[in-house]
Each structure stands twice: as structure tokens, then as C-alpha cells.
Amino acid sequence: MPSTTPAIQLYNTRTRRKEPFRPIDPKNVRMYVCGPTVYDRAHIGNARPVVVFDVLFRLMRHVYGPDHVTYVRNFTDVDDKINARAKATGRPIRDITDETIRWYHEDMDALGALRPTAEPRATAHVPGMIAMIETLIAEGHAYAADGHVLFDVGTYPAYGRLSRRSLDDMVAGARVEVAPYKKDPMDFVLWKPSEPGLPGWDSPWGRGRPGWHIECSAMSKALLGETFDLHGGGIDLVFPHHENEVAQSCCANHTERMANVWMHNGFLQVEGEKMAKSLGNFFTVKELLDRGVPGEWVRYVLLKTHYQKPLNWTDADIREAELTLWHWRDLTDGIAPADVVPEPVIEALANDLNTHLALRAVAAMQSEPERLLAGARFLGFLTPDIGKWYLPRKALKGRETTVVYRDGTPEPVVQALRSIVEKWANARSNKNYDKSDTIRNGASELNLGIEIKATRAGSEIKIDRTLNDDEKRTVIRFAEDMS
């Protein structure tokens, strides 16, 4: 580790304290993060751990060297939700999972996330899962019953230590299915039978498929070893998923620990409420991108709050991201970054991945744009690939935009619409967003089919509508400098 790099300190869910990070082998730092079940688009809550652990990956590579860090994030491509989607659509399961993985890569690339070192698919590791289950049965930690194989929680005295839950809490939190073949309600499924038409593999217990928890134990062992440095994921995975991973891995591998450090990011809320389809505040990364919210803005919002804390997603945060990143890009337009990542950025990240302080450190370098650029790029910002939304403010002078209206709209109304658009654009250029929102909403209430929407698609602000044959457009030229 370079002498100028501060020692990394991370909060460990297992010990409930912040402690120095000491890799098992500094030349082979190994981290595993639970990835998505691939049956649909990733929502914004799914994106938070991707961006959080992407920054940790960057920090580890900086400290230990890019060739000495292995980052594994899996794809769960065998699951009841995938089976249900295939049945509902009539599509082959492999088509669905391949398509969803492609979507996932597109969406996470748009957020500026680096690809992990390895992205194993669960279906490629079923033999390893079967071998681990056989070991657990032979060691007396699992049993076969009614075509299923279950882990016998009573044989592992340390069960519950990661989540620090009481037995009553664990029974309630597990939401286990009542099944007559279980010795104990807490026992969890390692293998289950597959009906005709569902994915299945031959095993000593009949044709079936693995339970969810055994997947990560088998894949992490195959790619990182029986004990590795760090395991991450969302706080919702601590129990039962990660608790069950620890139990089956430690029992099968005869180890005291599965991972030395466990890290978990907090929940995500939208405008102070839990994100849920029933509340109408549920949205995917793709939906945000399609609305004209660039991935770089999304990344900023996901990193402005410390990873352990709940993140409250708001429209105000998006506006802050827009203004901040546009300003940073203006400051650094046409210059090269400094050769060294600024120490305040590394110090903030080494202190339990404090991205909030790291962003503040970058913002404090406005008089040193080369250092600002170096710090921002280390955090995944101001790169060309996620900057296609940006156009220097000086280039907006004399820019043209359009009003779209229906043929036959009275000329006084057309003139009024021109005035509305001019006032709306001027309000935004003066950063008076409350006023611009009022103007936009007023235009929508005219019920003329006019929608004013601020986007940066194609690096311009535009009136965003789909033209019908009976609609026309009027060009408006803005003479103001929108700096």
C-alpha cells in the first residue's frame, strides 16, 4: 500500500463496528456482491448497491492495484419469478434472462459503473451447488425429505450472529412456508423438485433446482475461495439470505467465517415514502433515462448520501445533480485531469466509503479544475461516455427550440404558446425552477396537447412531443446567454 494512502476503515455488519480493512492477501483482494434476479428491468433501489460497491471497487484498485482486486457480482438466472415471467409471456427462459442481463448492463453502464471482474450465472454453477449440498448431508447439516433438501439450522450454533436476531424474530422474519417435511420451521431449502416444463437438473434427490441461498455460497467458493475478504449487498439481504449463506458455507467448508467483512447499504425511499408500485413512486433506471435524466445525475444522487443511511430520492436532488455536474463540466471543459487523485477524496472514501464527504471535497476544488476533474473522475463522474447530455453553457447562446401545436390552433394561442416557452426557458436559465415549473404546469392545463419538458437528450432543451400529421412546429430563437 502506498505510504500516502490512508488505511481503509470499513463498518463491518458482522462485528457492528468500524475497523481497519486487512485483506487476507494484499495481492489478491477478493469481494463478492449479490447481484440481480434477471426477470425484469432494474429499479433505482437495485442500482444503489451497484454504484456504492463500484466506488469501493475503484478504491480497492487504487490502493492495492488493478491487477490485485477480484470483484464478483452474480446473476440469479434460475428463480420462480423468472419461471412465472416465462409462463406469462410464452417466451423461453433463456431468452428472458439473456435479454434482462443485456438490459442490466446497458442501464448500469449508463450510471458509469465498471463491470466486475466476474459475473457468474447461477445456472453455470449447479454442479458445485449439488456437491456442496452432498457435503452438508454427509456432515449432518442437511437432510433430504419429500424430494427437497433442507439445511438443519439446529446443527449450526452460530446461526443468527450476523443479523443479531432472536429466534422469535428470525422465525417471523423468514416468512417460511409451512411444510410438513421440515424438522424445524427455521430450516431452509437447499434443493427442491422441478415439475415438468420447469428448469431442472439431475441430482441424487431427483430432478430439481437449487434454492436461492446455496447459489451465492457455491459461486463465491468457486471464484473467491472458502473464505474471502468482503461480502456486500443491500440491508434487506442480511436476513435471511446472508445469514443462510454464512451457515451453509461455514458448515460445508469447515471454516469459522465465510467473509471477513460484511457491508450493507441502506434502503431507498422516494420523497420520504417507501418505493412501491402501489404508491405510484416506483421507477426503473431505464424509465429515468427515458425521461431525460442522465445516468450521471442518477449516480450523483445515489452517492450524495452515505451508503449506510437510508437514501431519500427527491426531485430536488436531481436538480442539485444537474446544476452541480453542469457547473463541474463547465469548469473542466477542455482541460486534462491532474495526474494524482486528490488526497481529500481518497481520505473520505477510506473512512468507511464516505462518498458524501468525497463529493464535498471535489466541490471545494473549484479554483483547481485539474484536481477537481481528477477527483470527480475517480468517483465515476465527468467521463466522456456518460457525458453525452452535456453542452457548454456558452454554446446555448442563440440556440433554437420549438413549440409544437395542432393545425388550426388560433394564431393568438400560438403567440401565447411562444411566450410561455420563452418565459419557461428564461426562468430555467435564471435557475428559478419553481417559476419554470409553474409555467410548465400552466401550459399543460391549457389542454392543447402541449407538453413542456426539460431534458438534456441530445444536449439541448426541447419541447418534447410526438408530432402527428395535423401538428406543426414554430421555431423560437433564444438570444440570451443561459450561463
Side-chain angles (χ1 to χ4, degrees):
M1 183 184 301
S3 58
T4 56
T5 302
I8 297 174
Q9 301 250 346
L10 299 173
Y11 182 85
N12 191 345
T13 304
R14 182 177 60 83
T15 61
R16 296 299 193 276
R17 64 175 181 265
K18 188 163 66 174
E19 42 191 43
F21 176 72
R22 298 186 178 94
I24 298 168
D25 178 2
K27 293 184 178 180
N28 184 23
V29 179
R30 292 161 289 162
M31 53 185 284
Y32 184 97
V33 175
C34 288
T37 300
V38 286
Y39 69 99
D40 206 348
R41 286 278 186 183
H43 58 69
I44 195 64
N46 301 141
R48 190 180 189 192
V50 173
V51 173
V52 164
F53 290 103
D54 173 67
V55 176
L56 180 63
F57 183 37
R58 292 167 186 262
L59 177 64
M60 294 294 187
R61 286 162 54 93
H62 175 78
V63 172
Y64 298 101
D67 297 331
H68 301 301
V69 181
T70 301
Y71 172 23
V72 176
R73 186 181 66 220
N74 72 293
F75 288 117
T76 294
D77 60 343
V78 53
D79 184 86
D80 290 342
K81 291 179 180 178
I82 301 172
N83 298 338
R85 181 59 56 88
K87 183 177 180 180
T89 61
R91 298 178 61 197
I93 285 175
R94 183 72 185 206
D95 285 358
I96 292 173
T97 57
D98 284 351
E99 177 182 63
T100 308
I101 289 173
R102 176 173 58 80
W103 286 346
Y104 188 82
H105 279 146
E106 290 172 355
D107 293 346
M108 299 308 117
D109 288 351
L111 303 186
L114 303 175
R115 297 282 179 93
T117 313
E119 294 179 288
R121 296 172 68 132
T123 52
H125 288 265
V126 173
M129 299 175 204
I130 292 174
M132 183 172 281
I133 294 170
E134 288 181 309
T135 298
L136 289 169
I137 292 176
E139 297 286 340
H141 293 293
Y143 58 94
D146 197 18
H148 294 72
V149 180
L150 297 108
F151 184 87
D152 188 344
V153 171
T155 67
Y156 183 57
Y159 192 80
R161 287 184 183 173
L162 177 66
S163 58
R164 298 198 179 184
R165 294 192 175 200
S166 68
L167 180 59
D168 290 342
D169 287 343
M170 287 190 291
V171 171
R175 300 177 181 175
V176 292
E177 177 185 356
V178 176
Y181 48 79
K182 287 188 175 185
K183 292 181 180 179
D184 186 277
M186 286 299 299
D187 295 348
F188 57 88
V189 173
L190 301 172
W191 189 264
K192 55 188 174 183
S194 282
E195 301 79 9
L198 293 179
W201 290 261
D202 291 332
S203 78
W205 319 286
R207 182 178 180 276
R209 59 191 190 276
W212 175 33
H213 312 299
I214 195 69
E215 296 176 9
C216 290
S217 287
M219 287 185 280
S220 63
K221 178 181 179 180
L223 296 169
L224 299 176
E226 294 179 349
T227 302
F228 49 94
D229 296 300
L230 187 145
H231 196 315
I235 192 69
D236 57 312
L237 297 181
V238 177
F239 184 86
H241 184 49
H242 288 167
E243 192 75 70
N244 291 350
E245 279 189 53
V246 171
Q248 62 202 10
S249 290
C250 290
C251 289
N253 300 328
H254 304 98
T255 56
E256 180 183 352
R257 299 173 187 170
M258 179 186 183
N260 285 341
V261 178
W262 289 82
M263 290 178 67
H264 296 93
N265 62 272
F267 288 114
L268 184 141
Q269 297 179 321
V270 177
E271 301 288 355
E273 293 186 302
K274 180 180 179 180
M275 186 171 67
K277 290 182 179 179
S278 60
L279 297 176
N281 64 357
F282 180 96
F283 46 88
T284 66
V285 173
K286 175 63 172 173
E287 286 170 339
L288 279 174
L289 297 174
D290 287 346
R291 291 180 201 167
V293 180
E296 190 169 25
W297 303 3
V298 176
R299 184 181 183 90
Y300 183 93
V301 176
L302 292 175
L303 292 179
K304 67 170 293 197
T305 300
H306 190 278
Y307 77 91
Q308 284 191 59
K309 297 180 180 179
L311 189 155
N312 185 30
W313 182 280
T314 68
D315 287 342
D317 289 326
I318 287 293
R319 288 178 182 169
E320 177 187 333
E322 175 186 5
L323 293 173
T324 299
L325 291 169
W326 205 338
H327 181 53
W328 287 0
R329 283 188 174 273
D330 275 345
L331 285 173
T332 59
D333 188 33
I335 70 169
D339 294 332
V340 179
V341 181
E343 288 186 13
V345 175
I346 300 300
E347 289 173 356
L349 298 180
N351 183 12
D352 194 26
L353 207 64
N354 196 328
T355 54
H356 173 73
L357 285 182
L359 287 171
R360 288 179 57 183
V362 171
M365 299 172 192
Q366 296 185 41
S367 62
E368 304 171 280
E370 294 86 359
R371 296 184 72 229
L372 186 152
L373 182 56
R377 284 195 174 173
F378 188 79
L379 293 171
F381 299 102
L382 307 193
T383 60
D385 54 333
I386 61 171
K388 296 179 177 63
W389 62 272
Y390 168 74
L391 187 71
R393 290 183 188 271
K394 60 187 178 183
L396 292 177
K397 187 173 182 179
R399 174 188 48 81
E400 292 182 349
T401 190
T402 60
V403 176
V404 176
Y405 59 95
R406 293 190 179 126
D407 194 15
T409 302
E411 183 62 24
V413 175
V414 174
Q415 295 297 332
L417 289 172
R418 293 176 182 171
S419 176
I420 287 171
V421 174
E422 288 178 353
K423 290 177 180 177
W424 167 77
N426 289 338
R428 285 187 61 80
S429 71
N430 292 323
K431 303 178 183 179
N432 191 341
Y433 294 105
D434 289 338
K435 182 178 179 180
S436 70
D437 286 350
T438 300
I439 294 170
R440 179 198 62 205
N441 296 337
S444 299
E445 291 169 4
L446 290 175
N447 198 28
L448 293 170
I450 307 299
E451 180 184 6
I452 298 176
K453 182 179 181 183
T455 75
R456 297 290 180 237
S459 301
E460 64 184 20
I461 301 174
K462 64 182 181 181
I463 307 304
D464 190 12
R465 295 198 61 241
T466 301
L467 278 176
N468 297 322
D469 291 339
D470 63 344
E471 292 180 329
K472 295 182 179 180
R473 62 171 73 234
T474 296
V475 177
I476 297 177
R477 177 174 293 276
F478 292 99
E480 284 192 42
D481 187 344
M482 297 179 66
S483 60

